[in-house]
Amino acid sequence: MSVVAPSELANALRFLSIDAVQQANSGHPGMPMGMADIMTVLAREFLTHNPNNPKWFNRDRLVLSNGHGSMLLYAFLHLSGYELAIDDLKSFRQLNSKTPGHPEFGHTPGVETTTGPLGQGLANAVGMALAESILASDFNKPELSIVDHHTYVFLGDGCLMEGISHEACSLAGTLKLGKLIAFWDDNGISIDGHVEGWFTDNTPMRFRAYDWHVIAAIDGHDQAAVRAAILQAQANTTQPTLICCKTHIGFGSPNMVDSHQAHGAPLGADEIAKTRVALNWPYPSFEIPERIYQAWNATEQGHAAEQAWRDTFNTYQQHYPNAAADFLRRQIGLLPEDFSRSMNDFIAKTQGLAPSMASRKASQLALTKAASLLPEMLGGSADLTGSNLTNWPDCKIITADDKHGNYLCYGVREFAMSAIMNGISVHGGFIPFGGTFLTFSDYMRNAIRMSALMQQRVIYVFSHDSIGLGEDGPTHQPVEHLSMLRLTPGLSLWRPCDATETAVAWMLALQRHVAPTCLALSRQNLVTQERTPEQVTLIERGGDVLWESSVEPSVILIATGSEVSLAVDAAKVLAEKGVAVRVVSMPSCDVFDAQTLEYRESVLPSNVSKRIAIEAAAKDYWYKYVGLAGTVIGMDRYGYSAPAAAAYQALRITVEAIVKAAG
């Protein structure tokens, strides 16, 4: 086999990217052209992976945070031997292709996380590196390491301008994530042109302040320099590393190099022809010589790496069978066999816990039970642990020097927390959950959306779910948030009315293997509703008949959370007046909507047109249940800084208002 020059290996990445963007007449060729040399060195000389088994657990993770440059990743995957054919590259950005415009987790083999919203891939990578470090502390033995891999992330100026990069990288430095290595594509260009007009940060100094190891100003097109930088980064096991790579966007293009014109549009046939000449690439579109394929192919090397790990794991399994079994179970995300039985036993006991209890406190009791069953639960809060009650008696805080724990103090970093949890989840081995106030889900919105898009079992614990939080006022009182979360495809939301519904919500969130869940919890105490055992089992359906004066109602009251007790009290007043009334508790609209038509009709019979929904939040969502002629008692304005009872009274979310509406 003839010798392949390093420049040819990089040019194979460049021209597959150029040709795919040109064929699609859409895409971003500039970044792949600029970062091809970095990818070549990393992938061929350092990255531990197996193209024949993209899910091998101990592989290195490679994240493209600047996801618009997706063709660089697809080209690498194709050349390395993943199940991504040349025809897949030719269908870049086309309907149902395996090569979408931005990398999508679960869609393309070898893609570790969905990226595109800038900065989030970097935060995901922090989560992956954190997961690796905690798992290593939990499972590795002095003589046997079964968790031992790096996390590499490519990022651009846009990722660093996004505020989430500060949140995530600050925490990564604090926690000393030494196996996290980031490559900054320092090309000085963004969509609007040269970044010197809007991005003049001293980035190396900034990352040194985070306590990162910084390797500054290397030539990103000098493969020897890249190689030396990676070796230096790997040698530092106590700090994450930022390798600052000076590159040229659109490298090789005679007329578009170092121009924002190369960022997000095809080069055009004439410029591609000139680039082929400039880089001495005489091959037609999508043609790669066999000798280059052979030089790139990583299947044999990957198989050997995985087999060596499996040999180690077999030895581990012989010496530590229980730990090995738990490791394998957690890898695939299965819950222990007795989980449902144990949780249902706990749920049955919640009816007698207390006459009233805040659902945030009920949540803490439920997660205490769940955590005793699931060592993979990894909790945290954005500096609101004492308010969210996301901790439990036996939890242990993870620190820079002791990763053997199960609780993270994220600090006031809501956005990073959610994106880091996504990274932890896609890495595997944990069920992450994190808390803040419901109104601050605004800060996290796009990462929550990414949890749903990637179908990840991430649990969001949102306390202080309404005007019931009281004196902190309208800045802290959510209004539109429940509706926004309910409208997110693939996201489940529970707003429980008491301890029993809260425990059921936790159980179902943990059993929901391929989707995220939000728990909206109260600060104030909520009345424990009386239920028969059969009614308790019906909570799992998302909505059920909680109380009624007649099996043939003329009025149906639908409520969630803290407003359920108002609905029950109003129903009793109406019943005394001879009104046939039913109260439906609807803690999870999405779960209820997934039930059979027969069940939904049994709860909300279509022949009852007098319907009233009660929720201390925006009204519009509820018209799908009450109809345009129905009534919604809720909010169409922001709240008040006042004690909870006064706020409810001022906004007319009261028993009296419900009774009047029913009349």
Side-chain angles (χ1 to χ4, degrees):
M1 183 178 70
S2 60
V3 176
V4 179
S7 60
E8 289 184 286
L9 297 170
N11 285 339
L13 296 172
R14 288 190 176 99
F15 282 98
L16 285 174
S17 300
I18 291 169
D19 293 339
V21 171
Q22 182 67 23
Q23 177 141 320
N25 196 29
S26 174
H28 300 76
M31 183 281 254
M33 296 169 74
M35 297 196 81
D37 289 296
I38 301 166
M39 179 66 87
T40 298
V41 176
L42 174 66
R44 292 193 66 257
E45 301 181 36
F46 294 94
L47 195 70
T48 301
H49 64 118
N50 184 2
N52 286 326
N53 184 8
K55 295 301 183 182
W56 167 39
F57 197 82
N58 203 47
R59 68 192 182 278
D60 288 338
R61 270 52 169 190
L62 173 59
V63 175
L64 205 71
S65 189
N66 43 357
H68 55 271
S70 57
M71 265 310 307
L72 177 65
L73 181 58
Y74 300 149
F76 147 67
L77 295 172
H78 167 71
L79 291 170
S80 298
Y82 285 80
E83 193 176 328
L84 200 65
I86 195 69
D87 285 343
D88 293 315
L89 303 193
K90 291 178 180 179
S91 61
F92 178 54
R93 288 187 162 226
Q94 304 310 299
L95 182 65
N96 295 326
S97 78
K98 292 168 71 173
T99 51
H102 289 81
E104 295 182 21
F105 175 84
H107 187 76
T108 309
V111 170
E112 300 287 1
T113 185
T114 300
T115 56
L118 293 177
Q120 283 199 64
L122 175 56
N124 294 165
V126 172
M128 294 175 191
L130 184 55
E132 189 276 341
S133 183
I134 301 169
L135 273 179
S137 294
D138 289 347
F139 285 100
N140 287 353
K141 307 299 180 183
E143 77 285 8
L144 288 169
S145 292
I146 59 171
V147 182
D148 182 14
H149 60 79
H150 284 85
T151 301
Y152 300 100
V153 54
F154 285 22
L155 57 101
D157 293 318
C159 293
L160 294 178
M161 284 186 263
E162 289 285 1
I164 192 173
S165 70
H166 162 74
E167 295 182 29
C169 293
S170 169
L171 186 60
T174 297
L175 293 177
K176 300 181 180 178
L177 300 180
K179 289 186 177 178
L180 173 62
I181 299 175
F183 298 87
W184 170 32
D185 185 24
D186 182 13
N187 59 36
I189 297 292
S190 67
I191 292 175
D192 282 353
H194 292 274
V195 300
E196 60 194 17
W198 47 87
F199 183 52
T200 57
D201 302 13
N202 187 327
T203 297
M205 187 180 293
R206 170 186 162 190
F207 275 76
R208 290 188 184 106
Y210 296 150
D211 200 21
W212 280 54
H213 173 209
V214 177
I215 303 173
I218 74 160
D219 182 348
H221 303 295
D222 182 341
Q223 294 192 19
V226 173
R227 182 180 303 110
I230 296 172
L231 289 169
Q232 188 180 343
Q234 288 184 340
N236 187 337
T237 60
T238 61
Q239 291 175 293
T241 296
L242 178 70
I243 302 176
C244 307
C245 303
K246 291 288 185 181
T247 62
H248 298 279
I249 191 170
F251 179 87
S253 169
N255 298 303
M256 292 188 182
V257 66
D258 294 330
S259 168
H260 68 280
Q261 292 177 311
H263 170 81
L267 299 184
D270 289 345
E271 189 65 18
I272 292 174
K274 293 174 182 176
T275 304
R276 279 183 154 80
V277 172
L279 292 178
N280 191 27
W281 187 260
Y283 313 108
S285 296
F286 295 107
E287 183 176 310
I288 303 294
E290 182 59 30
R291 60 189 180 84
I292 294 179
Y293 270 123
Q294 291 179 13
W296 260 107
N297 191 284
T299 54
E300 185 176 339
Q301 181 181 354
H303 174 77
E306 180 175 352
Q307 188 57 53
W309 178 84
R310 291 194 178 280
D311 291 342
T312 299
F313 186 78
N314 288 338
T315 303
Y316 184 95
Q317 205 166 22
Q318 293 168 15
H319 288 83
Y320 307 101
N322 292 335
D326 195 44
F327 179 80
L328 291 173
R329 178 187 66 79
R330 289 169 59 171
Q331 263 194 59
I332 56 179
L334 289 180
L335 301 179
E337 290 182 2
D338 64 343
F339 173 78
S340 293
R341 178 190 56 77
S342 297
M343 284 301 295
N344 277 307
D345 289 346
F346 172 79
I347 289 166
K349 296 174 183 176
T350 57
Q351 288 283 282
L353 283 177
S356 67
M357 180 184 296
S359 54
R360 62 172 175 164
K361 179 61 180 177
S363 168
Q364 186 179 45
L365 296 177
L367 77 87
T368 298
K369 177 62 178 179
S372 71
L373 304 169
L374 303 176
E376 61 264 42
M377 288 185 72
L378 182 57
S381 173
D383 203 49
L384 286 169
T385 296
S387 294
N388 303 142
L389 302 184
T390 41
N391 60 346
W392 62 99
D394 295 329
C395 72
K396 180 183 176 185
I397 294 174
I398 292 162
T399 67
D401 299 318
D402 185 1
K403 300 296 195 310
H404 184 65
N406 50 15
Y407 195 81
L408 289 159
C409 292
Y410 284 100
V412 188
R413 300 181 176 98
E414 295 91 350
F415 194 5
M417 175 179 71
S418 48
I420 287 170
M421 288 195 295
N422 285 338
I424 292 170
S425 181
V426 297
H427 177 277
F430 295 101
I431 303 174
F433 67 92
T436 186
F437 292 171
L438 178 56
T439 191
F440 300 143
S441 64
D442 284 338
Y443 286 132
M444 311 161 68
R445 180 73 185 89
N446 198 261
I448 295 171
R449 185 175 188 268
M450 299 296 279
S451 300
L453 188 61
M454 293 193 289
Q455 299 181 312
Q456 290 303 298
R457 180 167 46 182
V458 176
I459 301 172
Y460 295 93
V461 181
F462 293 132
S463 69
H464 295 58
D465 68 342
S466 72
I467 54 172
L469 66 88
E471 294 85 345
D472 276 337
T475 60
H476 284 52
Q477 294 169 1
V479 179
E480 70 279 21
H481 302 76
L482 291 172
S483 293
M484 288 195 298
L485 293 169
R486 286 178 177 132
L487 290 169
T488 303
L491 180 69
S492 188
L493 183 137
W494 285 78
R495 187 174 184 241
C497 77
D498 62 6
T500 305
E501 286 189 354
T502 303
V504 171
W506 261 109
M507 181 180 71
L508 295 186
L510 290 163
Q511 291 174 333
R512 201 169 142 86
H513 188 268
V514 292
T517 302
C518 296
L519 307 178
L521 308 170
S522 73
R523 179 197 185 204
Q524 74 274 29
N525 282 353
L526 307 181
V527 175
T528 300
Q529 301 296 326
E530 294 183 8
R531 294 180 177 85
T532 65
E534 181 186 6
Q535 284 179 304
V536 172
T537 63
L538 291 176
I539 294 171
E540 293 187 21
R541 293 179 175 249
D544 63 284
V545 178
L546 180 63
W547 189 95
E548 60 185 359
S549 63
S550 170
V551 293
E552 295 184 0
S554 60
V555 177
I556 298 177
L557 307 180
I558 310 168
T560 76
S562 46
E563 289 71 69
V564 168
S565 62
L566 296 179
V568 171
D569 289 346
K572 291 176 180 178
V573 173
L574 290 167
E576 289 178 359
K577 295 182 177 183
V579 178
V581 62
R582 168 180 290 184
V583 176
V584 172
S585 178
M586 186 87 77
S588 180
C589 299
D590 60 277
V591 173
F592 178 77
D593 290 347
Q595 303 305 309
T596 64
L597 177 61
E598 180 182 15
Y599 178 76
R600 285 179 282 137
E601 179 69 19
S602 73
V603 175
L604 297 175
S606 54
N607 64 343
V608 181
S609 59
K610 187 75 172 181
R611 300 182 183 189
I612 302 168
I614 310 104
E615 186 173 67
K619 299 178 182 180
D620 287 3
Y621 184 86
W622 288 100
Y623 287 102
K624 66 183 286 187
Y625 298 110
V626 303
L628 295 179
T631 301
V632 179
I633 295 175
M635 297 173 65
D636 53 16
R637 52 151 291 162
Y638 296 108
Y640 293 99
S641 178
Y648 272 89
Q649 190 69 38
L651 289 163
R652 297 181 177 83
I653 305 173
T654 62
V655 170
E656 294 76 17
I658 300 169
V659 171
K660 182 179 179 180

